[in-house]
Amino acid sequence: MKRHKKNSLLIGKLVLLILGILTTVMVTGCASPEEAEEKDTGKAAEAAREDAQEESESGSSGQINASGLRERERGRTSVTMADLLKESGNGDKTKDEVRLPDTVLWFNATYAVLTYSNGCDWRLVSGFERTEENVDIIKAVLWRDWNVLDRESAIETVDNLVMQGHREKCRECMEQLEEWKLLDLGEIAFLEKFLEMDVDENPARYVIAYYMHQNGIEPEYMAAWDLCRVNQLYAYYYMCGFMDYEEAMDASLGNSLILQEKYESWEEMMDAYMLGYQFWKGDLILTEDSPAQERYHYYEMLRDREDNPYTLEWKMKLEKSW
């Protein structure tokens, strides 16, 4: 698998052209990636899951019940887990717990950046306490964002992420660019030709896929984006009762061993995760407060904390301890 240096996917001068041309010509009047995914209710459940809103994946310690969340959805109000935490006033609260085994903490570390960004505690499985209120919220969010309603749909969702995920979407973008004979063009020629194409979905994803190819980065490199979310979903499934604790931890162990095999360090895993997040968002990183930059800043803040999860040894022996 082709590696790349930290933050190497910084879009160059082509983005300046895209900012003035691509966004006005191709994006004007179109829904944002999130809006398009939320409103396309006619697509199959699998498509809804693979393009799910990742904000839900960090969980909440809020006290807003599931019916309240559904009411907001009917009112077309965008609700993230961070919003629920702020309303509940419990986002910054932690509870003294018996320290989890290092292997389980390692699992938690793979999705800790999102846990942290939502004000939860990465040292807890899923990031928050297993209360009735929290379980109700997670179940509602799993249904809303992943079409997960029961054990069968839960397993189907993680299987899709493990086997395909957004790296498969990236492969499809590269294949389409190759079919259009754009993949190996220089930047200016690429832009000129790309603007002539009929792109029926997020055009920025094609631009990111183009730059990945130009830098020798394979779609499989972004597997961390999919596999880190798999660990988080396993934690959610335990919280909701779709898996018991042992099964969820056993599944996380197998998934985490794959992550260890694919990457050499926490830094490299997070670089790959950020690339996948950037691709999913279709974020060309045009501003300092772009979604990908914001997510990376959360990672930096978490990494700089004394109690950060990345002090755990990356290559530590992961073993069953539950």
Side-chain angles (χ1 to χ4, degrees):
M1 179 172 56
K2 179 70 175 179
R3 314 285 187 182
H4 78 292
K5 295 180 181 179
K6 173 184 172 184
N7 286 338
S8 65
L9 196 68
L10 296 178
I11 308 302
K13 60 184 179 182
L14 179 58
V15 165
L16 299 179
L17 297 174
I18 291 175
L19 179 61
I21 302 175
L22 180 61
T23 55
T24 56
V25 174
M26 305 184 70
V27 182
T28 298
C30 297
S32 68
E34 295 87 351
E35 291 173 339
E37 288 163 26
E38 289 177 351
K39 295 177 182 178
D40 193 359
T41 56
K43 288 188 176 181
E46 179 178 333
R49 283 192 295 274
E50 67 187 10
D51 284 328
Q53 292 290 337
E54 90 293 351
E55 282 84 356
S56 71
E57 297 168 19
S58 68
S60 166
S61 295
Q63 301 300 314
I64 298 176
N65 61 32
S67 62
L69 179 60
R70 295 190 187 98
E71 286 296 327
R72 286 193 178 197
E73 286 302 297
R74 282 194 287 270
R76 297 186 181 274
T77 301
S78 177
V79 183
T80 67
M81 300 304 277
D83 294 330
L84 300 180
L85 283 165
K86 289 177 181 177
E87 282 204 9
S88 70
N90 292 330
D92 57 353
K93 294 181 181 179
T94 58
K95 180 179 179 180
D96 291 334
E97 296 281 345
V98 176
R99 176 183 168 90
L100 293 171
D102 282 350
T103 294
V104 178
L105 289 174
W106 199 100
F107 302 160
N108 294 358
T110 61
Y111 55 90
V113 63
L114 190 54
T115 303
Y116 177 70
S117 71
N118 282 292
C120 298
D121 186 351
W122 73 268
R123 292 161 296 185
L124 301 176
V125 173
S126 81
F128 53 91
E129 300 170 30
R130 195 183 191 191
T131 66
E132 182 178 352
E133 292 83 2
N134 290 337
V135 169
D136 284 345
I137 290 172
I138 295 173
K139 284 183 176 180
V141 171
L142 283 174
W143 169 241
R144 181 193 69 180
D145 294 343
W146 291 94
N147 277 25
V148 168
L149 184 60
D150 51 24
R151 176 181 171 84
E152 181 180 0
S153 54
I155 299 302
E156 183 181 352
T157 295
V158 293
D159 284 349
N160 176 267
L161 286 174
V162 170
M163 299 302 297
Q164 296 182 321
H166 279 100
R167 55 201 192 280
E168 180 62 25
K169 286 279 190 181
C170 185
R171 289 189 193 97
E172 292 172 2
C173 287
M174 286 189 180
E175 290 171 0
Q176 183 63 74
L177 290 173
E178 185 174 22
E179 182 178 328
W180 289 335
K181 302 186 184 305
L182 303 183
L183 209 52
D184 294 312
L185 295 179
E187 289 184 348
I188 302 303
F190 168 79
L191 176 61
E192 292 174 348
K193 296 293 185 181
F194 184 61
L195 288 174
E196 298 174 0
M197 300 301 168
D198 182 17
V199 180
D200 58 359
E201 59 182 72
N202 192 333
R205 286 184 176 177
Y206 289 87
V207 176
I208 294 169
Y210 166 79
Y211 268 94
M212 287 175 62
H213 176 76
Q214 291 289 308
N215 286 276
I217 304 169
E218 300 169 3
E220 189 62 27
Y221 182 76
M222 67 170 64
W225 164 244
D226 295 318
L227 300 183
C228 290
R229 293 184 296 159
V230 166
N231 273 355
Q232 189 168 43
L233 284 173
Y234 284 143
Y236 275 17
Y237 295 168
Y238 155 66
M239 298 293 284
C240 294
F242 297 149
M243 288 181 163
D244 63 30
Y245 184 78
E246 182 175 14
E247 183 183 14
M249 295 303 102
D250 285 348
S252 297
L253 175 59
N255 186 60
S256 296
L257 290 172
I258 295 174
L259 281 167
Q260 279 189 328
E261 179 67 24
K262 286 182 176 292
Y263 306 103
E264 297 297 328
S265 65
W266 287 113
E267 183 179 29
E268 185 180 37
M269 187 207 76
M270 287 305 303
D271 185 48
Y273 170 95
M274 293 295 174
L275 176 60
Y277 177 82
Q278 180 187 5
F279 175 81
W280 172 73
K281 278 288 190 181
D283 182 4
L284 297 177
I285 313 183
L286 299 173
T287 64
E288 278 297 315
D289 61 351
S290 75
Q293 285 284 32
E294 183 179 12
R295 181 60 58 90
Y296 189 78
H297 291 329
Y298 273 116
Y299 163 61
E300 289 181 313
M301 289 188 290
L302 177 60
R303 183 193 61 195
D304 292 342
R305 289 174 59 97
E306 184 177 348
D307 62 344
N308 81 81
Y310 312 115
T311 57
L312 294 166
E313 183 183 352
W314 171 258
K315 285 295 187 180
M316 71 179 286
K317 183 178 181 180
L318 301 178
E319 53 189 359
K320 187 166 181 173
S321 51
W322 45 85

